Amino acid sequence: MSLKKKLGLGVASAALGLALIGGGTYAYFSDTVATTNTFASGTLDLSINPEYVIRAENIKPGDIMPRAFELSNDGTLDISRVDIHTDYTVEYGDKYTGGDLGEHILVHFMTNVDKNGLGNIVVGPNNVITTTTLAELKAADGLPDAVANDLYVNLPWLGEVNGERGGLAAGDSDDLIVVFEFVDNTEDQNTFQDAELTLFWNFEAHQTAGTIK
């Protein structure tokens, strides 16, 4: 065997030996880049102004009590609906002989001025509540949606019709008007003299549906 052949065979054998020793690994160029990723959630922050809807003293059957308040979305997420949960307690006076004062307090309507499409006119097509008692509202827990507008229409040539779109966008607010009445039902209502009803209205905001980000 010639010297050249011997040298070639020796080099091939050495290369095979190194490959076997290295376990079949090989060297190559590489480069890496690192990323830092975040998932930051938004907030729902519903506020009311004033902090109470009504405070009335020395009321009697036949009294009508209109009140106005504002719901604001101070968070970073849009609100799809605001459910009103009603509860109340009553402390009765010395003349109490039975009955539920909540059945004698009517909520004639609650109008969302921003949603009714008629500016500051109280009566409109999008009343949230229409003549129901506090007792009935308590029984129907979670009703109604205070920022709904089922009659909303957006026409290309007219724009938004019948008020704003339902819901409450981040940074937006809605003005609402509610009218209470201590109904005079011609019955003997002396049982409710010196009574005090404490109304709890909890406004529960809900997020909108998920979207592609």
Side-chain angles (χ1 to χ4, degrees):
M1 180 179 295
S2 68
L3 180 60
K4 289 183 178 180
K5 289 183 177 179
K6 290 181 179 179
L7 289 174
L9 181 61
V11 171
S13 299
L16 176 62
L18 289 173
L20 292 175
I21 294 173
T25 61
Y26 56 92
Y28 56 90
F29 287 150
S30 66
D31 188 21
T32 61
V33 61
T35 64
T36 301
N37 309 284
T38 60
F39 294 86
S41 59
T43 59
L44 290 178
D45 185 1
L46 183 68
S47 64
I48 186 170
N49 183 39
E51 62 184 14
Y52 55 86
V53 175
I54 183 171
R55 288 179 178 173
E57 298 180 350
N58 294 320
I59 66 172
K60 59 187 180 299
D63 283 351
I64 296 175
M65 298 155 277
R67 294 293 187 274
F69 62 96
E70 180 184 63
L71 290 178
S72 299
N73 183 355
D74 300 325
T76 61
L77 298 175
D78 292 343
I79 292 172
S80 64
R81 72 179 192 273
V82 177
D83 294 334
I84 304 174
H85 300 273
T86 299
D87 196 8
Y88 60 85
T89 60
V90 185
E91 294 182 8
Y92 294 101
D94 295 336
K95 294 188 177 183
Y96 180 69
T97 58
D100 182 357
L101 180 56
E103 296 178 352
H104 296 254
I105 304 294
L106 283 177
V107 182
H108 274 295
F109 50 80
M110 178 182 291
T111 298
N112 188 317
V113 175
D114 294 80
K115 300 296 192 285
N116 72 4
L118 295 175
N120 291 322
I121 300 176
V122 173
V123 292
N126 299 318
N127 291 332
V128 180
I129 303 171
T130 303
T131 309
T132 184
T133 66
L134 287 179
E136 290 168 337
L137 280 176
K138 180 178 179 179
D141 186 45
L143 297 174
D145 179 0
V147 294
N149 188 355
D150 296 332
L151 300 180
Y152 173 84
V153 178
N154 191 357
L155 300 176
W157 60 93
L158 287 177
E160 296 183 348
V161 181
N162 291 331
E164 297 176 351
R165 184 188 302 272
L168 193 58
D172 198 7
S173 62
D174 279 359
D175 293 316
L176 293 97
I177 299 172
V178 61
V179 175
F180 300 93
E181 180 186 0
F182 189 172
V183 61
D184 185 351
N185 59 11
T186 70
E187 298 177 2
D188 183 1
Q189 295 174 291
N190 283 325
T191 182
F192 300 129
Q193 287 194 46
D194 197 29
E196 181 174 330
L197 185 149
T198 302
L199 173 63
F200 304 100
W201 261 353
N202 291 323
F203 296 82
E204 181 183 10
H206 298 267
Q207 70 168 65
T208 56
T211 58
I212 298 175
K213 298 289 188 180

